[in-house]
Structure formats: C-alpha cells, structure tokens
Amino acid sequence: MPSSLDWFLTLAVTWIVTGLFIDAHEHLLETVETFFNPWHGIMYSGAVFSAVVLAVATVRNRRPGQTLWEAVPAGYRLSVLGVAGLILGGALDSIWHAIYGFEHQLDLLLSPPHLLLLAGLFFLAVGPMRSAFLRPPATRLVDQLPMLISMGLACHVIQFVMQIGFYPEALWRDRPLPQAEFQSEQFVLSVFLFYKQALEMMIVVWQSLLLAGAVLYLVARTRLRFGALAIVCVAEKLWVGGELANDINQVLLIALSSVAAGLLGDWIVSRLAPSLQNAGAFRFLGFVVPAAYFGAYFTFAVPLFGGTWWDASFLFGSIALAGIAGVFVAQLLVGGFQARPTS
C-alpha cells in the first residue's frame, strides 16, 4: 500500500509539472516579460507544498537520537535534495531574468537556472517510485498509481529539455511543398526534405528509447497490474503533447496512441510474464510497445488528420525502427543483469 506521503508527493509533482508546461507554452507562443506570472505561481506553490509535505513527514518519522537527515522517510532522500534544487533554481531564475531578460523560444530549454530547476524536479518526482520499490508489489492497480505517475512525470522532466524531439511532423498537414510544383526551388526543397526526414527519424528513435526505457525499467523492478503500462504511457506523453499541440485532436492522437501501446504491453505482461530472467519475452515487450505506439499514431492519424505524408517505406520502416530501439534498451537491461556476479 502506498503511504500518504506517496500520494501527496505525486499530487505535488503533478501540480508543478502542470505549471511548468503551461509556462513553457506561454514562453513559446506568447510574450512573457515578468517573473511573477500565474504559471510560475502554479509551479512554485507546488514546490512549497512539496517542501512542507516532506518536512512534516520527516519530523513525524523522527525517532529519539536521530538526525533529521536520518529521519527522512525511506526512498525520499533524493527528493529532499530535489526540492532544495528546485527552489534554489527558481530563486536563481528570477536573478537570471533580471540580468538577461526573458526567453521566448528554444533558449528557455537551456537556461542554466532552468536546468538546475529541472534536475531538482526530476529527483523530487522519482520519490514515490523509489518508495514503492522498497515494498512488496501492490496487489491493486490503484495502489500502484503513485509509482506509475511518478515514472511518467520524471520522464516529462527529461522531455521538457528535449521537447523539440516530440511530434514527428508526419501528419498530412505537415507535408513539405511538392518539388514538382516549384521547379525553380528544387535544390532548396530537396535539402529541406532531407533534413526534415532526418530529424523525424531521430524523433522516432528518441521517443521509442524513452518509452521503452520507462516500461522496461518498471517491468524489471516490480510486478505490475493490468492497466499499469497504459497509465505510464499516457503519463509520459500527455503534458508535453498538450503543450506543443495546435488543437485538441493532436492531444487526442497522443492519448489514443499511448493507451493502445500501453494496453498491448499490459497484455504481453499478463500473458508472457516478461522479466530479466525471461529475456525473450522482455525483448519482445521492448519491441512491441514503441512499435505499437507509432503504429497506433499513424492509424489514428487517418480519421483525425487525413493520414500522413510519409511514403510506405518511411512509414513502416519507422515503426520497425521504433521497435528496434526498444529491443536495444531491453538488451542493455538484460545484458547488465546477466553480467552480474552470481556469488
């Protein structure tokens, strides 16, 4: 059973991440010229809430003769350091803005105070997951929710910096200008097409590595209930998908693809029991989940967006490439496990 601290910290991190991605959306699409805005208010009120929750839990957990550091609940020491980094990063961010102004495009992803803030948020976010690993596996899906959401939100912190690698720009409305209609611009259009497709391939690989990594890490560490992987897949992609979306159908496309990939992964877990010991099924799971995500993405793109502009080779090859990336992650985990000394 998760503790009340697990639930409160999951709420706090959800609160902070929501504010973070709303703030990023405003920076990308609007002009932000003040540190004291509603989106920062959401983020930093969540940070204060998490600090208070951790402080209260530590004080209540303290035994005679213990230091406060020794009294931090099991699994949450990194979270204490994380909330300190988060608050320090926020304070430095206000100074940074006072000196250098406000970011409006991709520079907001690499601002040093933002990177410190994100590092702190990551270690704060993994607390409920680390706590869950110290207990026997929960027997109900609802009791696994803090662990699952924690994993998804931790991946979102990583994706915040790498959000340029999220949407593969494969929808029909994203198609490049046809070269046949612009004969005088053949060279420019061919170069643009090359770099566009190269970036899209890298996006497929990056998203597959992150999705497979989250799924396989959880499957390797604990026993999951049916529906757990669907929750992880949605929790890993929904916030960044919403931030970068132009309309509700894009968010729906991400949600449906995530649910489809997660449910197929849940079915494999329930039927084949993949694990580091059952390496064949583990590799199969690593292939199927990212491949299913992109397969579902292109399938649902037909009714929602009229399909894709990618040709058959690029389309089906990308789905296969996604699965291969997942197998790569699985093999790293299996190889590391098999290489451990048995004595």
Side-chain angles (χ1 to χ4, degrees):
M1 288 284 290
S3 66
S4 58
L5 179 58
D6 295 335
W7 286 106
F8 278 123
L9 256 294
T10 301
L11 171 63
V13 175
T14 304
W15 181 346
I16 298 167
V17 168
T18 300
L20 175 68
F21 278 94
I22 294 175
D23 182 60
H25 180 84
E26 294 300 309
H27 275 279
L28 289 172
L29 301 180
E30 304 290 341
T31 300
V32 177
E33 297 293 353
T34 177
F35 181 82
F36 298 99
N37 60 66
W39 326 124
H40 279 183
I42 296 173
M43 276 195 299
Y44 294 118
S45 61
V48 171
F49 176 75
S50 62
V52 170
V53 167
L54 282 170
V56 170
T58 298
V59 170
R60 294 181 61 182
N61 196 50
R62 190 179 183 186
R63 299 292 181 266
Q66 277 189 322
T67 65
L68 284 174
W69 182 247
E70 291 171 336
V72 173
Y76 280 100
R77 287 187 177 179
L78 283 179
S79 294
V80 171
L81 298 177
V83 76
L86 176 60
I87 293 174
L88 177 61
L92 292 177
D93 192 37
S94 65
I95 299 172
W96 185 270
H97 290 320
I99 298 173
Y100 296 108
F102 289 83
E103 306 88 357
H104 297 298
Q105 293 297 328
L106 296 181
D107 51 348
L108 74 89
L109 305 180
L110 296 177
S111 164
H114 288 177
L115 294 178
L116 175 59
L117 186 155
L118 290 167
L121 180 55
F122 177 85
F123 287 112
L124 175 64
V126 297
M129 181 172 62
R130 286 165 51 84
S131 174
F133 291 157
L134 298 175
R135 299 187 299 270
T139 57
R140 300 188 304 165
L141 179 61
V142 67
D143 293 329
Q144 293 189 331
L145 282 177
M147 173 186 68
L148 303 173
I149 297 172
S150 170
M151 169 59 90
L153 295 179
C155 289
H156 259 97
V157 177
I158 298 171
Q159 290 206 98
F160 183 86
V161 180
M162 289 298 296
Q163 59 188 264
I164 55 172
F166 186 76
Y167 281 115
E169 302 294 333
L171 304 177
W172 179 249
R173 70 182 187 185
D174 301 318
R175 64 193 183 280
L177 294 173
Q179 296 183 43
E181 296 181 16
F182 297 88
Q183 295 290 334
S184 62
E185 302 294 341
Q186 283 277 349
F187 177 76
V188 173
L189 290 177
S190 63
V191 171
F192 173 77
L193 179 61
F194 174 84
Y195 283 104
K196 184 174 176 64
Q197 289 185 315
L199 176 61
E200 288 157 356
M201 288 177 62
M202 288 187 284
I203 289 172
V204 168
V205 172
W206 162 243
Q207 288 297 319
S208 300
L209 291 173
L210 195 62
L211 184 60
V215 165
L216 293 171
Y217 180 76
L218 287 173
V219 170
R221 290 298 302 267
T222 191
R223 186 162 60 253
L224 298 174
R225 314 312 301 175
F226 192 91
L229 293 186
I231 292 170
V232 170
C233 291
V234 172
E236 183 181 306
K237 296 188 179 295
L238 194 59
W239 277 261
V240 63
E243 181 213 336
L244 300 174
N246 295 318
D247 56 52
I248 191 63
N249 275 358
Q250 273 189 288
V251 181
L252 183 60
L253 178 59
I254 293 299
L256 290 173
S257 303
S258 300
V259 170
L263 287 177
L264 187 54
D266 284 317
W267 183 85
I268 292 172
V269 168
S270 67
R271 294 289 182 175
L272 302 181
S275 66
L276 295 177
Q277 294 84 358
N278 187 3
F282 193 74
R283 296 185 187 98
F284 182 61
L285 178 67
F287 180 90
V288 167
V289 171
Y293 174 79
F294 281 101
Y297 185 92
F298 293 119
T299 300
F300 289 120
V302 174
L304 292 174
F305 292 98
T308 175
W309 65 272
W310 290 5
D311 62 28
S313 295
F314 205 83
L315 173 65
F316 293 107
S318 294
I319 295 172
L321 186 62
I324 291 169
V327 173
F328 172 76
V329 176
Q331 185 56 40
L332 287 178
L333 293 171
V334 169
F337 172 75
Q338 293 176 343
R340 291 189 305 178
T342 56
S343 59

